[in-house]
Amino acid sequence: MPTLPRFADSLEYDFDVLIVIGANSKIVRECYPFLTKITRLILVDVDRDELADIQNSLRNTHPEGVFVLPCLEFYASPTLAIQKLGRIDLKHQTFGVIYASAFTGEILKANRITAPKTGSAKPEDIFDVNVVKFQYAINDLFNSDVHLTSVVAISSIYAQKTIDRRLYDGTSMVNPIEYGASKAAMDQSIRWLAGFYAERCRFNSVVAGGVLRNQPETFVERYKSKTSLGRMATESEVAVAICFLLSNTASYITGHSLACDGGFL
């Protein structure tokens, strides 16, 4: 998509440090080319080796520092974990947050959850990752007087749309009720936080549609038929929506869940 690099060059951000929770996720990896104007990044996820690879790849574009934190250390005390990194001034620097999570994703592994063969984890664990941990991290930072200015969470169309089980017929793919329900709770958390911390920080979410990731051909064809654009999304298309909401370009947008779903019906 040739217009995306030009758009990336136009984005400005009103914070010094970006905390990326779920830094190894595929969509978030596509955000990094749009974040070169942010001086420092804090990458939070489970897999230390993957975090180290991302850290090394970003050193040239973020010379002031790319820091990594394992999930368990971060969630024990977000503020304290960041303080221990050094070179981060929690009292005088400003911060943004990207929150990426998925019930089968890397962050869930921090809870030491083993998903059964159905592909679904326990409902309470899914809510813990998508809602409780998100709220806890944000409130911990605010309670420590950290100056947050912009927060974007990654939600899902199934927070808003009725599931069509026929999409999954004949495949091993699953979409449990607790996934959509927890994402809906995440979106409501965004709206609540936007009101509660009004004038201090903007809170938004991107409601992501289906991203093409080597799914079975039968699923892809069925899914495409349910979108106005007749195709699934790319990782970059969702990433650019995240970075737009995070940036100053969206300075008058808060408490909003932006659909990036190709007109999913």
Side-chain angles (χ1 to χ4, degrees):
M1 303 188 67
T3 59
L4 292 186
R6 292 197 298 272
F7 179 75
D9 289 340
S10 73
L11 293 178
E12 301 284 346
Y13 303 91
D14 63 354
F15 48 84
D16 307 306
V17 183
L18 178 63
I19 305 169
V20 187
I21 305 171
N24 293 339
S25 76
K26 292 179 181 178
I27 289 175
V28 172
R29 284 173 180 262
E30 293 298 320
C31 290
Y32 296 129
F34 306 118
L35 302 175
T36 56
K37 294 181 182 179
I38 300 170
T39 57
R40 294 177 181 177
L41 301 179
I42 299 173
L43 310 180
V44 181
D45 216 311
V46 174
D47 192 308
R48 289 176 179 267
D49 291 336
E50 288 190 10
L51 282 174
D53 288 343
I54 297 172
Q55 182 183 39
N56 289 332
S57 71
L58 296 175
R59 288 189 189 279
N60 290 336
T61 52
H62 302 275
E64 291 192 32
V66 181
F67 307 89
V68 298
L69 280 173
C71 274
L72 291 177
E73 182 179 340
F74 176 77
Y75 283 124
S77 174
T79 303
L80 182 60
I82 294 172
Q83 284 177 335
K84 289 181 178 179
L85 291 173
R87 296 175 58 194
I88 302 291
D89 187 343
L90 286 168
K91 295 299 182 183
H92 298 100
Q93 290 182 306
T94 53
F95 294 78
V97 175
I98 293 176
Y99 190 88
S101 65
F103 75 102
T104 56
E106 292 299 324
I107 295 179
L108 189 63
K109 295 175 186 176
N111 285 11
R112 300 173 182 174
I113 298 165
T114 301
K117 291 182 179 179
T118 59
S120 175
K122 295 178 182 178
E124 60 268 29
D125 292 324
I126 296 172
F127 272 87
D128 184 55
V129 171
N130 283 332
V131 184
V132 178
K133 277 187 166 52
F134 171 61
Q135 294 176 352
Y136 166 71
I138 295 301
N139 286 321
D140 179 80
L141 292 167
F142 269 115
N143 289 339
S144 301
D145 294 323
V146 175
H147 186 186
L148 294 178
T149 65
S150 183
V151 175
V152 178
I154 302 178
S155 184
S156 165
I157 54 172
Y158 291 115
Q160 303 176 353
K161 303 286 188 178
T162 301
I163 186 173
D164 185 347
R165 62 176 179 78
R166 293 169 296 184
L167 290 173
Y168 304 92
D169 287 348
T171 76
S172 61
M173 300 171 64
V174 294
N175 193 326
I177 187 172
E178 51 266 25
Y179 173 70
S182 65
K183 289 295 190 179
M186 172 187 280
D187 284 343
Q188 181 55 33
S189 297
I190 286 290
R191 289 186 284 273
W192 189 92
L193 290 164
F196 190 81
Y197 293 115
E199 300 179 8
R200 296 178 63 184
C201 179
R202 295 185 301 107
F203 289 86
N204 295 289
S205 66
V206 171
V207 180
V211 176
L212 188 61
R213 292 174 178 164
N214 298 314
Q215 295 95 335
E217 185 177 350
T218 54
F219 172 85
V220 173
E221 292 304 314
R222 291 169 187 162
Y223 191 97
K224 286 161 57 176
S225 71
K226 290 181 66 67
T227 66
S228 298
L229 294 182
R231 63 179 178 85
M232 298 185 73
T234 66
E235 311 281 357
S236 292
E237 287 172 317
V238 181
V240 78
I242 294 167
C243 295
F244 161 69
L245 287 177
L246 196 65
S247 75
N248 295 349
T249 307
S251 61
Y252 200 60
I253 300 174
T254 192
H256 182 62
S257 296
L258 175 64
C260 183
D261 62 4
F264 187 82
L265 305 175

